[in-house]
Amino acid sequence: MRRPLFVLSLLACAALVMPLTACSHASDNSGSATAATPQEGAGPAAGQGTLKVQATTGAEQYPASGLGVGVSKCDSSASLATLTTAGHEGAATHDLPGGCYQVAATGVPSGCMLGSPSPVKVDVTPGNTSTASFQLKCA
């Protein structure tokens, strides 16, 4: 019974099309979290690849919006980007130069907890999309 109600609540949030984080919030209160979505026809610049952050929940791997993450180089703790998963895919993207990156969860949607390891190391290769996947456990 929980899963159908969860799916209905996600659909209701999407239908309202309020700010994409209206039905959930990240624990980062700085207001610097942004939802990143791919643009039609746009691709990474030369020498860059795309980092995709994917959040899912449940055994059925339903997309989950509202997961906040910070991105940094593997050899540095300085944050390069802050993303929040959004939309019907529960994803966010950001173009980066090729290299090793760490993607760390910074906030989870209300009623959920992180169900997979964080941070995740991802090798971004120019011209390709590399994915950092996170599993959420939601009530």
Side-chain angles (χ1 to χ4, degrees):
M1 184 67 182
R2 286 183 180 176
R3 287 191 180 131
L5 291 176
F6 177 72
V7 171
L8 286 175
S9 67
L10 285 177
L11 291 173
C13 290
L16 292 177
V17 190
M18 289 294 178
L20 293 176
T21 58
C23 294
S24 59
H25 69 284
S27 63
D28 177 15
N29 293 326
S30 68
S32 63
T34 57
T37 56
Q39 297 176 2
E40 288 288 318
Q48 291 193 332
T50 300
L51 170 66
K52 179 178 180 180
V53 178
Q54 179 74 52
T56 58
T57 185
E60 295 84 4
Q61 301 293 302
Y62 293 117
S65 294
L67 175 71
V69 298
V71 180
S72 62
K73 293 284 281 178
C74 287
D75 59 357
S76 172
S77 61
S79 180
L80 300 174
T82 303
L83 306 171
T84 302
T85 61
H88 67 278
E89 292 182 358
T93 61
H94 191 74
D95 293 339
L96 296 164
C100 179
Y101 294 90
Q102 288 191 107
V103 183
T106 58
V108 296
S110 180
C112 298
M113 60 187 238
L114 196 58
S116 60
S118 176
V120 174
K121 287 190 178 184
V122 178
D123 286 316
V124 173
T125 55
N128 293 312
T129 299
S130 302
T131 303
S133 298
F134 292 90
Q135 176 70 29
L136 300 176
K137 294 181 181 180
C138 300

